[in-house]
Amino acid sequence: MGGQPRYLWVADLLRRPILNGELEPGSRLPSRSRLARTYGVSEQVSRHALRLLVSEGLVEARPGSGYYVRSVPQIHRFSRTDRSSGSGVDPLQREDLGTCTEIACGLIARRLGVRDGVRLFRTRCLGMADDVPVALHTAWELSALTQGTLRTPADAEPGTSVLQRLGAAGVTVDRVVEEVGVRPLREPESSLLRLAPGLPVLVVERTHYQGRRPVETSDLVGSIDHCRLLYRLSLARSPRR
């Protein structure tokens, strides 16, 4: 062990068989008292070790029952090479939550490069997997671009991309910028995703531009247990001499 805290040592002894598959999902781990006897540590040490594995997502605590190896979650990969800038939740099943109008303010106004008070269309949809919400996509668009036409987000035919819809309204999107990060889940999002507020979630902020002008921006918020971003980068080859 060296100078390593004893709870880290115990956690490592449990972690290795979980990661290499010796302990299958659903397997019950020894109780705190049994771990303490087996490894010659206190129950407080074994409790810290188990809590560490819970925080790492490898183990789940079931009140009144004990600690169990957590099932491996199904991973959903979101391709960031999608040239159509589609629904935002592909490849998941899309559940539309509707389009409404709202007033730009704060961060969203800054992302769209407009003053507070400008009218926007806000569109939301959930990405579902086996009736479980995995990701929430929220998009904000300047309503002046399509207001009074049949090209608003509310009028769009299913499957119509942002590029296609805005292009039909005379707005040519020629650049997309994404920023990826992790932040705590907010209360309004938590009820939709059926997750506790404050949990870390993956966030992709995506903005469509016409030249230097932002015309639409969106947030993809996803469970870090289920969501991955898949990038395929083409490298230019040097010309042969």
Side-chain angles (χ1 to χ4, degrees), residues 14-200:
L14 296 171
R15 185 187 296 110
R16 276 182 274 177
I18 293 174
L19 293 178
N20 66 25
E22 291 179 40
L23 286 174
E24 297 181 351
S27 299
R28 185 177 180 178
L29 296 180
S31 65
R32 294 193 299 265
S33 58
R34 184 176 176 184
L35 286 173
R37 291 194 302 270
T38 300
Y39 298 114
V41 297
S42 68
E43 284 197 30
Q44 183 178 11
V45 168
S46 61
R47 180 168 55 251
H48 284 326
L50 290 167
R51 286 180 176 175
L52 176 60
L53 296 176
V54 170
S55 69
E56 292 177 356
L58 297 174
V59 169
E60 63 177 335
R62 299 179 186 174
S65 181
Y67 293 86
Y68 294 80
V69 178
R70 191 178 179 192
S71 298
V72 179
Q74 182 180 1
I75 299 300
H76 304 280
R77 292 176 173 83
F78 297 81
S79 175
R80 311 321 293 166
T81 57
D82 177 11
R83 298 180 63 86
S84 69
S85 291
S87 69
V89 294
D90 296 333
L92 299 169
Q93 180 183 354
R94 177 188 175 107
E95 181 179 308
D96 288 309
L97 300 179
T99 296
C100 65
T101 58
E102 69 177 36
I103 301 301
C105 64
L107 178 60
I108 298 303
R110 292 194 294 274
R111 281 166 58 176
L112 287 170
V114 298
R115 67 183 185 279
D116 288 0
V118 170
R119 296 187 69 82
L120 307 175
F121 288 123
R122 188 195 72 183
T123 304
R124 278 185 154 183
C125 68
L126 282 171
M128 309 290 291
D130 298 325
D131 296 323
V132 175
V134 174
L136 170 66
H137 187 259
T138 306
W140 297 267
E141 176 185 308
L142 299 171
S143 62
L145 297 176
T146 56
Q147 185 75 54
T149 73
L150 294 178
R151 307 300 181 185
T152 71
D155 296 319
E157 293 290 332
T160 303
S161 73
V162 176
L163 276 68
Q164 293 168 333
R165 185 172 53 76
L166 291 180
V171 180
T172 302
V173 174
D174 53 21
R175 184 164 60 100
V176 179
V177 175
E178 286 193 344
E179 184 173 332
V180 181
V182 175
R183 64 160 170 80
L185 185 66
R186 296 166 184 162
E187 182 66 42
E189 304 160 336
S190 66
S191 59
L192 293 171
L193 288 172
R194 304 177 198 168
L195 296 172
L199 286 178

